[in-house]
Amino acid sequence: MNYVAYSDLNKKERLLVDKAFEAAEHSVSPSGHKVGSAILCENDEIYLGATNTRSRAIGSTCAERMAVDQMVFHGKEKPQLVALVGFLQREKWTEDNIVTPCGVCLEMYWEMIMRLGLEDLEFLCTSWNKDRILRAKLTELYPRIEAVKR
């Protein structure tokens, strides 16, 4: 897990981050949150998702889940890279803050890589101003509990 600059990304990675920004502009949120996700699959196919918040949390959709649903709907199941960007309307949130997947989305990705037999999945979690990008693998983002042998 490390921080990189937008200028350090390769052409495909920059495109994926830009697509996540485009998707975020389609977010539906009474509070003004904007979150977008883009998944790069084999053959350079990209699937997008945006946050869709409803008055009841159970009916809401995270950008990441929407992008995964699009990927699966189109019969693709070989994700290579996920870009995530968000701007949340919160008191101390700035354009320099970074959004990472929520617990439900982390679990969804974990189940997906286990089902597909993937070793891991890489993420680019980008600040709204693109000044900070967290490059991390799912295994680094997912909370872990290590059992101690006795």
Side-chain angles (χ1 to χ4, degrees):
M1 183 175 340
N2 63 320
Y3 290 94
V4 297
Y6 181 80
S7 60
D8 294 335
L9 301 177
N10 66 39
K11 186 177 178 180
K12 276 186 190 181
E13 292 169 334
R14 284 193 305 270
L15 174 65
L16 195 66
V17 166
D18 293 342
K19 290 292 186 183
F21 272 92
E22 288 176 25
E25 292 299 334
H26 295 279
S27 293
V28 176
S29 171
S31 60
H33 295 336
K34 291 183 179 185
V35 181
S37 182
I39 300 174
L40 176 66
C41 291
E42 62 184 349
N43 300 325
D44 295 334
E45 294 176 274
I46 296 174
Y47 297 94
L48 306 177
T51 292
N52 187 348
T53 305
R54 295 187 175 82
S55 60
R56 299 166 96 208
I58 197 162
S60 298
T61 303
C62 291
E64 303 95 295
R65 284 185 274 155
M66 185 182 287
V68 167
D69 288 347
Q70 288 292 321
M71 181 186 75
V72 172
F73 179 80
H74 287 93
K76 305 299 177 189
E77 289 209 341
K78 292 195 178 174
Q80 297 175 344
L81 180 63
V82 178
L84 182 63
V85 62
F87 187 80
L88 306 182
Q89 296 296 329
R90 296 201 173 135
E91 187 176 324
K92 294 186 179 184
W93 192 270
T94 70
E95 290 188 353
D96 200 42
N97 289 104
I98 292 176
V99 170
T100 59
C102 72
V104 172
C105 290
L106 286 172
E107 185 174 337
M108 171 199 61
Y109 281 119
W110 191 262
E111 290 174 359
M112 182 176 67
I113 69 167
M114 288 175 46
R115 182 174 51 81
L116 297 174
L118 302 175
E119 184 118 353
D120 217 331
L121 184 58
E122 188 172 359
F123 287 79
L124 298 172
C125 302
T126 307
S127 65
W128 196 253
N129 59 14
K130 295 185 183 177
D131 284 348
R132 297 175 62 224
I133 299 173
L134 175 65
R135 182 188 297 273
K137 295 186 179 292
L138 177 62
T139 52
E140 295 170 317
L141 294 171
Y142 203 86
R144 298 177 64 116
I145 298 173
E146 303 269 338
V148 177
K149 289 187 176 184
R150 296 179 192 222

